[in-house]
Amino acid sequence: MKGFAMLKIGETGWIEKDRPKCGPMDAICKPLALSPCTSDVHTVWEGAIGDRHNMILGHEGCGEVVEVGALVKDFKPGDKVLVPAITPDWNSLEAQAGYSMHSGGMLAGWKFSNFKDGVFGEFFHVNDADGNLAHLPDGVEVQYAPMLSDMVPTGFHGAELADVQYGDSVLVIGIGPVGLMSVAGANLRGASKLYAVGSRPACIEAAKFYGATDIINYKNGPIDKQILDLTHGKGVDKVIIAGGTVDTFDEAVKSLKAGGKIGNVNYLGEGTYIKIPRAEWGVGMGHKQINGGLMPGGRLRMEKLGSLVACGKLDLSKLITHKFNGFENVEKALMLMKDKPADLIKPVVII
Amino acid sequence: MKGFAMLKIGETGWIEKDRPKCGPMDAICKPLALSPCTSDVHTVWEGAIGDRHNMILGHEGCGEVVEVGALVKDFKPGDKVLVPAITPDWNSLEAQAGYSMHSGGMLAGWKFSNFKDGVFGEFFHVNDADGNLAHLPDGVEVQYAPMLSDMVPTGFHGAELADVQYGDSVLVIGIGPVGLMSVAGANLRGASKLYAVGSRPACIEAAKFYGATDIINYKNGPIDKQILDLTHGKGVDKVIIAGGTVDTFDEAVKSLKAGGKIGNVNYLGEGTYIKIPRAEWGVGMGHKQINGGLMPGGRLRMEKLGSLVACGKLDLSKLITHKFNGFENVEKALMLMKDKPADLIKPVVII
Amino acid sequence: MKGFAMLKIGETGWIEKDRPKCGPMDAICKPLALSPCTSDVHTVWEGAIGDRHNMILGHEGCGEVVEVGALVKDFKPGDKVLVPAITPDWNSLEAQAGYSMHSGGMLAGWKFSNFKDGVFGEFFHVNDADGNLAHLPDGVEVQYAPMLSDMVPTGFHGAELADVQYGDSVLVIGIGPVGLMSVAGANLRGASKLYAVGSRPACIEAAKFYGATDIINYKNGPIDKQILDLTHGKGVDKVIIAGGTVDTFDEAVKSLKAGGKIGNVNYLGEGTYIKIPRAEWGVGMGHKQINGGLMPGGRLRMEKLGSLVACGKLDLSKLITHKFNGFENVEKALMLMKDKPADLIKPVVII
Amino acid sequence: MKGFAMLKIGETGWIEKDRPKCGPMDAICKPLALSPCTSDVHTVWEGAIGDRHNMILGHEGCGEVVEVGALVKDFKPGDKVLVPAITPDWNSLEAQAGYSMHSGGMLAGWKFSNFKDGVFGEFFHVNDADGNLAHLPDGVEVQYAPMLSDMVPTGFHGAELADVQYGDSVLVIGIGPVGLMSVAGANLRGASKLYAVGSRPACIEAAKFYGATDIINYKNGPIDKQILDLTHGKGVDKVIIAGGTVDTFDEAVKSLKAGGKIGNVNYLGEGTYIKIPRAEWGVGMGHKQINGGLMPGGRLRMEKLGSLVACGKLDLSKLITHKFNGFENVEKALMLMKDKPADLIKPVVII
């Protein structure tokens, strides 16, 4: 079969591979729609997970089941399915402790285009089909389904980690596709004032659509200065970090009230230490909780988030700015993510 | 001063009283808008809290401060304010434990038209002004402000007690004004499928506006039967009870998945026991959590919920079906609540 | 192989069966120590789970692995293991939602001597060995290990459901072996005053050993009356129910403060409704949370609780009043549980 | 009246002041027992809270009420009382949000020897007596009561922030008096393996008494290296930081499992940033939650923790290594805290 792969750090290309084998609990799927992720860019061009050779890329997509293992009960060939980027081993100690995304080790619930081939192949392998696939619900268009693999669950997890509650004022740092879903997620947990940090017009428009009440441009000065001005020195109740660097935490902590919470869902690629400012963190005692976590994957999460789209309560249309038809355009779509033109939020490839 | 009062069980009328005295931490307000509550009906005509004589009714309203005590820091005469139905003693042990509504004893955070005169007077007294009043935010119309006293916080508390999460299927039993706010509250915490039980067209229309996806008419058979049909035997993730009787819990438990939660905000006026069906409650071990609680009041709650309205994230216009002008119409408004014409959701009196 | 079985409702006996088959994720074990449970008594003589024919009894024991399936990674023949009474399907939707004990349906994580043969056989089958077995830790004697199957996790779950916190006053109703472990569990979560309800001297002595500060004899009047007397009318912070009937909830609710929590781990065998007293439950709004749940099983739970015993922080010696040697004495031990002599807490059979 | 005061940064001495005035909600007390705190040392000799002039020191003590304000209901002259170091304004927005220790601003619930005179005077002032004092329970000796002001609630809060659960492996960094109470607190929430970091023999002995199972000497190499060795590379479930510097977080994060939690109760006096190691924090996504918070004060907390001592479930005798009699010895006791002889844990002065 054909797949679009990372050949080595800094290099991509089309390769031929054997179709993956299906274990007794697993499924083999063919993609129906795919989307590249900034993580694919980190993987290939920044060596974020170390070197990989001829590894098929991609962890965002939906598909059709073509084969299932003997122990699979709830899926059969022909079923259309949502596929999460994170596919845990559900019987692991970590999953039993509530952290399935770290099953088998920190971040190790992430398997596609990390420990095995990703979804940018003619076929892809899903471990534990009953535990990790979900039936594509009526009312979810195939073109939007790949957004449920990673952008929605990651963005929404930011709002969960920040523990947004009714009427909270929330700062969302970063309004790329994940940040936009953090805005939508905070809004769907009852945020009132929602300050979104970004500068690209396409993203700003989408942020307002998803519930942002105020836009902050980081080019106008430190975020915390702007937030403290806007809130009369009080700061916000919660912060979601969906962009930036290890330095961003400095601004986040300074923007936050005592008793507030930070939820980070941003991949931090560089820097030895994350910067938590001592004084504004209450000299260790300010009750400013710092959370950062990989998205929860698996079947239940896909069903829950899929149902929000199916019920019309989450509209994913504003996320997708570029559409392609045909498997071969996965390459073009990935290059778009790499080049990030000003009008890009997410591209999708329909197959 | 004049006030509209419960004279004794079963009887109301206008009375003259001295203007209330203002303690060092307190405020005296005059009403700007008022609304009667079904609880006023329970109090007068059902003797829900026992007998009371010449007690001014009402606990839903907004006002203008006319006097404050010497220790009050954040409010002054002329300030327009939101006033919660529940005004706790914040230094009580119960409030320190997180249950301010029970400060001084179970349910004893409820003081207006219970332990002291209510808000249907030319003036009313608010204990602990700094702790219990909130400034009326820009963007909240006076006519909607009384909905923030009780309907919004009570309805939303149902969704908090039921612990609604992203993508949950939620059953809301009862779509009077509290139930409608439970629908809105569940929707604002990320419910997907939202089954609302009711029959009056005005309420059904409002329920759909606030996020209900399916309407269940209890006249078509037991709620649990209908829910199990609609969910292919699975039941719902969460149930909010905002209407009914002690028998309603039977249907609620039967409608609920193992691991689900019930949040009751309905006043239960009759019956010795609440009925929890033993078998469907998992013979004691089904993890179907049963919660029931009086709304949280106080200043922070008012500020948080007020900000949702001010930001345009909660539209209260669909709650109010009848508007009156002039203090004297409080009586008419209360009689409407008693008689419950088919097209009534809530009346409001603007002063 | 030989097994001690329920022949039909009301009748037990020794039977011959084929040794169970081992699936790819499973293990076959032979018992090292076994203990009968009151649930076995309910199953056989009360028909608690309906009729069963020639089903081997027992769900409390530890064992030695004799065979593992091809996909099992962490266990091998010869390993000594803790075995939980509840052995979930970890990839089920219920387990993903945090309720593994209800995997596949309410209470359906309970498989031994319910949906399949139990542990009172020469060999027994464990589904998902990696997910459900735990290595017997150094420092845990084989004779005490069966207490970790059910008595400890069930009793401790009562304290979790009641959410015991530092300095809470806690009422534990019932001080059979589960109740004693609820006392120990409440104590290990920081309870201060610990009122234990029981009458048998052996149990009272053990209750004091495990942290009870006051003993209440239900023969001296309603529990709630005694509790309100002892607490100057305030009631307790939390209640754990580990004995009694559907009527016990009446006394539990009446004994509890507003804002308190009840954790039930008692099997309720009879009665249509559980009795929640309307008035003392705050006419629906007293924030007295009612929880009831089957114990969490699985490997992580076994490891965590096993480590408490291994570290010397939980002493199980006071639970076991009767010891037998030899597999054939499982019958005698079960009859003891049925007859409940005054000096019995738990019997154990060492093999 | 006489008081032992900070004259300016770096200088202490006895001063004369007027007896404090009693507001309507307040109490004036005279001390029965007092204890100096390392924070007093930070305040005077490190300028931790900036300069102060002629401010009476001390925030650990118990006392006898000599005067109460007109609105005080539950205390009267002659009452013996526990006094928390943190005395919140309970009606503040922060307290309503659950963070009373930050009432009026981050850390501003701390008033004694910070914003007003402390307890090392012949008389001291307590704001909101009903909300912040607790009756000295029978069974709590006056000499131990000052430990309930700060050492116990602060140490125990570390275990709350780290969210210790049954069977958790816990690392406690620092076994001065606060760290010892974190050990005791972790043990009282069900920790099994309890690794305590320290080197002084007196502290090590006390740590073992309070539940430590393993002692780690930081002089033998980085804590994380030692922990990973002891746990076969897995790390611990939870970390409590009760000593060290901003660098300590580096070792804490590296010692912790994915999905683990850190609870800091250590005052961080120096350094611009707290060091969170990027890679071991899961490049932002490891679910290693970082908490740090000032102790909760107030009456309920005092009652709850006092009851643990009164019930014999927390033995404070191992905390106190040096006893003095007579008010004038407060000076000697403080100098001991400053000089930290090897055999010191805490001194107490009985009056």
Side-chain angles (χ1 to χ4, degrees):
Chain A
M1 67 171 207
K2 237 174 35 169
F4 186 68
M6 170 176 180
L7 305 180
K8 59 178 186 180
I9 289 183
E11 205 169 308
T12 57
W14 291 93
I15 61 172
E16 276 291 328
K17 276 207 168 175
D18 289 343
R19 189 179 125 163
K21 299 267 177 293
C22 188
M25 300 178 68
D26 305 339
I28 305 298
C29 301
K30 63 176 187 187
L32 294 175
L34 294 169
S35 184
C37 177
T38 307
S39 300
D40 293 304
V41 176
H42 295 317
T43 296
V44 176
W45 287 282
E46 298 174 19
I49 56 173
D51 211 354
R52 295 289 192 279
H53 293 274
N54 300 327
M55 178 184 73
I56 294 176
L57 288 163
H59 51 265
E60 299 185 9
C62 64
E64 184 182 314
V65 175
V66 298
E67 183 186 350
V68 296
L71 300 175
V72 173
K73 288 174 289 188
D74 298 341
F75 297 88
K76 58 181 192 312
D79 286 355
K80 291 187 170 137
V81 288
L82 298 173
V83 184
I86 307 301
T87 54
D89 297 313
W90 286 101
N91 69 348
S92 64
L93 290 172
E94 293 84 2
Q96 292 187 27
Y99 293 95
S100 58
M101 64 291 281
H102 304 299
S103 67
M106 188 159 61
L107 310 180
W110 175 30
K111 294 170 181 173
F112 287 128
S113 65
N114 184 2
F115 299 134
K116 68 173 186 182
D117 283 324
V119 299
F120 292 174
E122 286 177 286
F123 299 96
F124 59 87
H125 168 270
V126 179
N127 59 299
D128 191 353
D130 282 332
N132 288 320
L133 292 176
H135 293 283
L136 182 73
D138 288 346
V140 177
E141 291 180 46
V142 160
Q143 62 171 326
Y144 299 138
M147 297 302 103
L148 288 162
S149 299
D150 184 351
M151 296 300 98
V152 179
T154 296
F156 275 44
H157 196 43
E160 291 172 322
L161 290 172
D163 191 26
V164 175
Q165 299 292 336
Y166 290 141
D168 276 353
S169 57
V170 179
L171 167 64
V172 178
I173 302 180
I175 50 173
V178 165
L180 288 171
M181 288 302 96
S182 289
V183 170
N187 205 48
L188 257 183
R189 278 178 71 104
S192 55
K193 284 299 253 185
L194 232 166
Y195 305 91
V197 179
S199 61
R200 288 192 293 149
C203 295
I204 289 171
E205 192 198 323
K208 288 179 179 169
F209 175 81
Y210 285 121
T213 58
D214 298 76
I215 303 296
I216 289 178
N217 191 331
Y218 54 86
K219 297 175 185 168
N220 295 340
I223 295 167
D224 51 290
K225 290 256 163 62
Q226 295 189 56
I227 282 289
L228 292 176
D229 277 357
L230 287 164
T231 60
H232 311 289
K234 290 182 193 165
V236 292
D237 294 312
K238 308 289 165 64
V239 180
I240 305 174
I241 302 180
T245 69
V246 294
D247 294 340
T248 305
F249 288 75
D250 187 15
E251 293 173 294
V253 169
K254 288 173 176 167
S255 298
L256 192 63
K257 282 182 195 170
K261 294 179 187 176
I262 293 175
N264 178 70
V265 287
N266 187 36
Y267 162 73
L268 300 166
E270 285 181 304
T272 306
Y273 292 109
I274 288 154
K275 290 188 180 168
I276 307 299
R278 182 188 61 87
E280 291 85 355
W281 202 57
V283 294
M285 295 182 288
H287 284 101
K288 297 186 177 184
Q289 187 182 76
I290 302 168
N291 299 282
L294 185 64
M295 62 163 265
R299 177 176 178 177
L300 179 65
R301 184 72 169 180
M302 287 298 100
E303 289 189 5
K304 293 257 179 181
L305 298 180
S307 75
L308 281 171
V309 179
C311 288
K313 299 198 172 177
L314 175 63
D315 176 348
L316 296 175
S317 65
K318 293 286 181 270
L319 271 191
I320 296 180
T321 49
H322 295 68
K323 285 185 208 177
F324 298 90
N325 281 287
F327 181 43
E328 67 283 3
N329 285 312
V330 158
E331 181 167 9
K332 240 183 238 169
L334 179 65
M335 293 308 150
L336 262 181
M337 282 310 279
K338 185 178 173 229
D339 297 339
K340 280 208 177 158
D343 64 341
L344 176 76
I345 299 179
K346 282 286 283 194
V348 72
V349 180
I350 299 155
I351 295 156
Chain B
M1 67 171 204
K2 236 174 35 168
F4 186 68
M6 170 176 180
L7 305 180
K8 60 179 186 179
I9 289 183
E11 205 170 308
T12 59
W14 290 93
I15 62 172
E16 275 291 330
K17 276 206 168 175
D18 289 343
R19 189 180 124 163
K21 300 267 178 292
C22 188
M25 300 178 68
D26 305 339
I28 305 298
C29 300
K30 62 176 187 188
L32 295 175
L34 294 169
S35 184
C37 177
T38 307
S39 301
D40 293 304
V41 176
H42 295 315
T43 296
V44 176
W45 287 283
E46 298 174 19
I49 56 174
D51 211 354
R52 296 288 192 280
H53 293 275
N54 300 327
M55 178 185 74
I56 295 176
L57 288 163
H59 52 265
E60 298 185 9
C62 64
E64 185 182 313
V65 175
V66 298
E67 183 185 350
V68 296
L71 299 176
V72 173
K73 288 175 287 187
D74 298 341
F75 297 88
K76 59 181 191 311
D79 286 354
K80 291 186 169 138
V81 288
L82 298 173
V83 184
I86 308 301
T87 53
D89 297 313
W90 286 101
N91 69 349
S92 63
L93 290 171
E94 294 84 3
Q96 293 187 27
Y99 294 94
S100 59
M101 64 292 280
H102 304 298
S103 67
M106 188 160 60
L107 310 180
W110 175 30
K111 294 171 181 171
F112 287 128
S113 64
N114 183 2
F115 300 133
K116 68 173 187 183
D117 283 323
V119 299
F120 293 173
E122 285 178 286
F123 299 96
F124 59 86
H125 168 269
V126 179
N127 60 299
D128 191 352
D130 283 331
N132 288 319
L133 291 175
H135 293 283
L136 182 74
D138 288 345
V140 177
E141 291 180 47
V142 159
Q143 62 170 325
Y144 299 138
M147 298 302 104
L148 287 161
S149 298
D150 185 351
M151 297 299 99
V152 179
T154 296
F156 275 44
H157 195 44
E160 292 172 322
L161 290 172
D163 190 26
V164 175
Q165 299 292 336
Y166 290 142
D168 276 354
S169 57
V170 179
L171 167 63
V172 178
I173 302 179
I175 50 174
V178 165
L180 287 171
M181 288 302 95
S182 288
V183 170
N187 205 47
L188 257 183
R189 279 179 70 105
S192 55
K193 285 299 254 185
L194 232 166
Y195 305 90
V197 179
S199 62
R200 288 192 293 150
C203 296
I204 289 171
E205 192 198 321
K208 287 178 179 171
F209 174 81
Y210 285 122
T213 58
D214 297 77
I215 303 296
I216 288 177
N217 191 330
Y218 55 86
K219 297 174 185 166
N220 296 339
I223 295 167
D224 52 289
K225 290 255 163 64
Q226 295 189 57
I227 282 290
L228 293 176
D229 277 357
L230 286 164
T231 60
H232 311 289
K234 290 183 193 164
V236 292
D237 294 312
K238 309 288 166 64
V239 180
I240 305 173
I241 301 180
T245 69
V246 294
D247 295 340
T248 305
F249 288 74
D250 187 14
E251 292 173 294
V253 169
K254 288 173 176 168
S255 298
L256 192 62
K257 282 181 195 169
K261 295 179 186 174
I262 293 175
N264 178 70
V265 286
N266 188 38
Y267 162 73
L268 299 166
E270 284 181 303
T272 306
Y273 292 110
I274 289 153
K275 289 188 180 167
I276 308 298
R278 182 189 61 86
E280 291 85 355
W281 203 56
V283 294
M285 295 182 288
H287 284 101
K288 297 187 176 182
Q289 187 181 77
I290 301 167
N291 300 283
L294 186 64
M295 62 163 264
R299 178 176 179 177
L300 179 65
R301 184 72 168 180
M302 287 298 99
E303 289 189 4
K304 294 256 179 182
L305 298 180
S307 74
L308 281 172
V309 178
C311 288
K313 300 199 171 176
L314 175 64
D315 176 349
L316 296 175
S317 65
K318 294 287 181 268
L319 271 190
I320 296 179
T321 49
H322 295 68
K323 285 184 207 176
F324 299 90
N325 282 287
F327 181 44
E328 67 283 2
N329 285 310
V330 158
E331 181 168 11
K332 240 184 237 167
L334 179 64
M335 294 307 151
L336 261 181
M337 282 309 279
K338 186 179 173 229
D339 298 339
K340 278 208 179 160
D343 64 341
L344 176 77
I345 298 178
K346 282 286 282 194
V348 72
V349 180
I350 299 155
I351 296 154
Chain C
M1 66 171 206
K2 237 172 38 165
F4 186 68
M6 170 177 181
L7 305 180
K8 59 178 186 181
I9 289 182
E11 205 170 309
T12 57
W14 290 92
I15 61 171
E16 276 292 328
K17 274 207 170 176
D18 288 343
R19 189 179 125 164
K21 298 269 177 290
C22 188
M25 299 179 68
D26 306 339
I28 305 299
C29 300
K30 62 177 187 185
L32 295 175
L34 294 170
S35 184
C37 176
T38 308
S39 300
D40 293 302
V41 176
H42 295 316
T43 297
V44 176
W45 288 282
E46 298 174 18
I49 56 173
D51 211 354
R52 296 290 192 279
H53 292 274
N54 300 329
M55 179 184 73
I56 294 176
L57 288 163
H59 51 264
E60 298 185 10
C62 64
E64 184 182 313
V65 175
V66 298
E67 183 185 350
V68 295
L71 299 175
V72 173
K73 287 175 288 188
D74 298 342
F75 296 89
K76 59 181 192 311
D79 286 355
K80 291 186 169 135
V81 288
L82 298 173
V83 184
I86 307 301
T87 54
D89 297 313
W90 285 101
N91 69 349
S92 63
L93 290 171
E94 293 84 2
Q96 293 187 27
Y99 294 94
S100 59
M101 65 290 282
H102 304 299
S103 68
M106 189 160 59
L107 310 180
W110 175 30
K111 293 170 182 173
F112 287 127
S113 65
N114 183 1
F115 300 134
K116 68 173 185 183
D117 284 323
V119 299
F120 292 174
E122 285 178 285
F123 299 96
F124 60 86
H125 168 269
V126 179
N127 59 297
D128 192 353
D130 282 333
N132 288 319
L133 291 175
H135 292 283
L136 181 74
D138 288 345
V140 177
E141 291 180 47
V142 160
Q143 62 171 326
Y144 298 138
M147 298 302 104
L148 288 162
S149 297
D150 184 351
M151 297 300 98
V152 179
T154 296
F156 275 44
H157 195 44
E160 292 172 322
L161 289 172
D163 191 27
V164 175
Q165 299 292 337
Y166 290 141
D168 276 353
S169 57
V170 179
L171 167 63
V172 178
I173 302 179
I175 49 173
V178 165
L180 287 171
M181 287 302 96
S182 289
V183 170
N187 204 49
L188 257 183
R189 279 178 70 105
S192 55
K193 285 298 253 185
L194 232 166
Y195 305 90
V197 179
S199 60
R200 287 192 294 149
C203 296
I204 288 171
E205 192 198 322
K208 287 180 179 168
F209 175 81
Y210 284 122
T213 58
D214 298 77
I215 303 296
I216 288 177
N217 191 331
Y218 54 86
K219 297 175 185 167
N220 296 339
I223 296 167
D224 51 290
K225 291 254 163 63
Q226 296 190 55
I227 282 290
L228 292 176
D229 277 358
L230 286 164
T231 60
H232 311 289
K234 291 183 193 164
V236 292
D237 294 311
K238 309 288 166 63
V239 179
I240 305 174
I241 302 180
T245 69
V246 293
D247 294 340
T248 305
F249 288 74
D250 187 15
E251 293 172 294
V253 169
K254 288 173 176 168
S255 299
L256 192 63
K257 282 181 195 170
K261 295 179 186 175
I262 293 174
N264 178 69
V265 286
N266 188 37
Y267 162 73
L268 300 166
E270 284 181 304
T272 307
Y273 291 109
I274 288 154
K275 290 188 179 167
I276 308 298
R278 182 189 62 86
E280 291 85 355
W281 202 56
V283 294
M285 296 182 288
H287 284 101
K288 297 186 177 183
Q289 187 182 75
I290 302 167
N291 299 283
L294 186 63
M295 62 164 265
R299 177 176 178 176
L300 180 65
R301 184 72 168 179
M302 287 299 99
E303 289 189 4
K304 293 257 180 182
L305 298 180
S307 74
L308 281 172
V309 179
C311 288
K313 299 198 171 177
L314 175 62
D315 176 348
L316 296 175
S317 65
K318 294 286 182 270
L319 272 190
I320 296 180
T321 49
H322 295 67
K323 285 185 208 177
F324 298 90
N325 282 287
F327 181 43
E328 67 283 3
N329 286 311
V330 158
E331 181 167 10
K332 240 182 237 168
L334 180 65
M335 294 308 150
L336 262 181
M337 283 310 279
K338 187 178 173 230
D339 298 339
K340 279 209 179 157
D343 63 341
L344 176 76
I345 298 178
K346 282 286 282 194
V348 72
V349 180
I350 298 155
I351 296 156
Chain D
M1 67 171 205
K2 236 173 36 167
F4 186 69
M6 170 176 179
L7 304 180
K8 60 178 185 179
I9 288 183
E11 205 169 309
T12 58
W14 290 93
I15 61 172
E16 276 292 328
K17 275 207 170 175
D18 288 342
R19 190 179 125 163
K21 299 269 177 290
C22 188
M25 300 178 68
D26 305 339
I28 305 299
C29 300
K30 62 176 186 188
L32 295 175
L34 294 169
S35 183
C37 177
T38 307
S39 300
D40 293 304
V41 176
H42 296 315
T43 296
V44 176
W45 287 282
E46 297 174 19
I49 57 173
D51 211 354
R52 296 289 193 278
H53 292 274
N54 300 328
M55 178 185 74
I56 294 176
L57 288 164
H59 51 266
E60 299 185 8
C62 64
E64 184 181 313
V65 175
V66 298
E67 183 184 350
V68 296
L71 300 175
V72 173
K73 287 175 288 188
D74 298 341
F75 295 88
K76 58 181 194 308
D79 286 356
K80 290 187 169 137
V81 288
L82 297 173
V83 184
I86 307 301
T87 54
D89 297 313
W90 286 101
N91 68 349
S92 63
L93 290 172
E94 293 84 2
Q96 292 187 29
Y99 294 94
S100 59
M101 64 291 281
H102 304 298
S103 67
M106 188 159 62
L107 311 180
W110 175 30
K111 294 170 181 172
F112 288 128
S113 65
N114 183 3
F115 300 134
K116 69 173 187 183
D117 283 324
V119 299
F120 293 173
E122 286 178 286
F123 299 95
F124 60 86
H125 168 269
V126 179
N127 60 298
D128 192 353
D130 282 332
N132 288 320
L133 291 175
H135 293 283
L136 182 75
D138 288 345
V140 177
E141 292 180 46
V142 160
Q143 61 171 326
Y144 298 138
M147 297 302 104
L148 287 162
S149 298
D150 184 350
M151 297 299 99
V152 179
T154 295
F156 275 44
H157 195 44
E160 291 172 322
L161 290 171
D163 191 26
V164 175
Q165 299 292 335
Y166 290 141
D168 275 354
S169 58
V170 179
L171 167 63
V172 178
I173 302 179
I175 48 174
V178 165
L180 287 171
M181 287 301 96
S182 288
V183 170
N187 204 48
L188 257 183
R189 280 178 70 104
S192 53
K193 285 298 254 186
L194 231 166
Y195 305 90
V197 179
S199 61
R200 287 193 292 150
C203 295
I204 288 172
E205 192 197 323
K208 288 179 178 169
F209 175 81
Y210 285 122
T213 57
D214 297 78
I215 302 297
I216 288 177
N217 191 330
Y218 56 85
K219 296 175 186 167
N220 296 339
I223 295 166
D224 51 290
K225 290 254 164 62
Q226 295 190 56
I227 282 290
L228 293 176
D229 277 357
L230 286 164
T231 60
H232 311 290
K234 291 183 191 163
V236 292
D237 294 312
K238 309 289 166 63
V239 179
I240 304 173
I241 301 180
T245 69
V246 294
D247 295 341
T248 305
F249 288 75
D250 187 14
E251 294 173 293
V253 169
K254 288 174 176 168
S255 298
L256 192 62
K257 283 182 194 169
K261 294 179 185 174
I262 293 175
N264 178 69
V265 287
N266 187 37
Y267 162 73
L268 300 166
E270 284 181 303
T272 307
Y273 292 109
I274 288 152
K275 290 188 180 167
I276 307 297
R278 182 188 61 86
E280 291 85 355
W281 203 56
V283 294
M285 295 183 288
H287 285 101
K288 297 186 177 182
Q289 187 181 77
I290 302 168
N291 300 282
L294 186 64
M295 62 164 264
R299 178 176 178 178
L300 179 64
R301 184 73 168 180
M302 287 298 99
E303 288 189 5
K304 292 258 180 181
L305 298 180
S307 74
L308 280 172
V309 178
C311 288
K313 299 198 172 178
L314 176 63
D315 176 348
L316 296 175
S317 65
K318 294 286 183 268
L319 271 190
I320 295 180
T321 49
H322 295 68
K323 285 184 208 178
F324 298 90
N325 282 286
F327 181 44
E328 67 283 3
N329 285 311
V330 157
E331 181 167 9
K332 241 183 235 167
L334 180 65
M335 294 308 151
L336 262 181
M337 282 310 279
K338 187 180 172 228
D339 298 339
K340 279 208 179 159
D343 63 342
L344 177 76
I345 298 178
K346 283 286 283 195
V348 72
V349 180
I350 299 155
I351 296 155

